[in-house]
Amino acid sequence: MSVWFVTGASRGLGAEITREVLDRGHRVIATARGASAVLRAYPNAPDGLPAVDADVTEPEQLTAAVEAGLARFGRIDIVANNAGYGLGARSRKPPTER
């Protein structure tokens, strides 16, 4: 049984990763900007799913989340760093806009 650390676990790809990992019998330290969002996403969460506040832009929150996971399970085997944000922009204008 592996212990996963998943950022952005409350929705989207992070939620799907978390569900799949739990379905396969592994443990997940599920992080999101608000742990309550993780708990809402998994209302029947097993004991193997601690939800932890962790905003990836705040290093001290990430450190605290890792420490909480280590205190709970004694190790972290796999990290799925899914949280973040995107900034969309074109690097150059298409020929029709020049």
Side-chain angles (χ1 to χ4, degrees):
M1 180 179 330
S2 298
V3 178
W4 289 60
F5 184 92
V6 180
T7 64
S10 63
R11 61 189 176 130
L13 183 60
E16 292 303 316
I17 291 169
T18 299
R19 280 189 192 92
E20 184 66 26
V21 169
L22 290 171
D23 286 348
R24 291 178 183 227
H26 301 283
R27 296 176 175 155
V28 179
I29 302 151
T31 72
R33 283 180 284 181
S36 60
V38 173
L39 297 175
R40 282 193 306 275
Y42 310 97
N44 301 317
D47 288 338
L49 180 71
V52 183
D53 286 325
D55 183 333
V56 297
T57 65
E58 300 292 335
E60 55 280 343
Q61 285 187 15
L62 285 173
T63 299
V66 168
E67 289 172 352
L70 291 173
R72 176 81 177 264
F73 298 122
R75 70 181 202 272
I76 295 171
D77 301 308
I78 300 163
V79 175
N81 187 15
N82 172 68
Y85 67 94
L87 177 61
R90 288 190 243 175
S91 59
R92 37 181 269 222
K93 291 182 181 179
T96 58
E97 294 182 17
R98 288 186 187 164

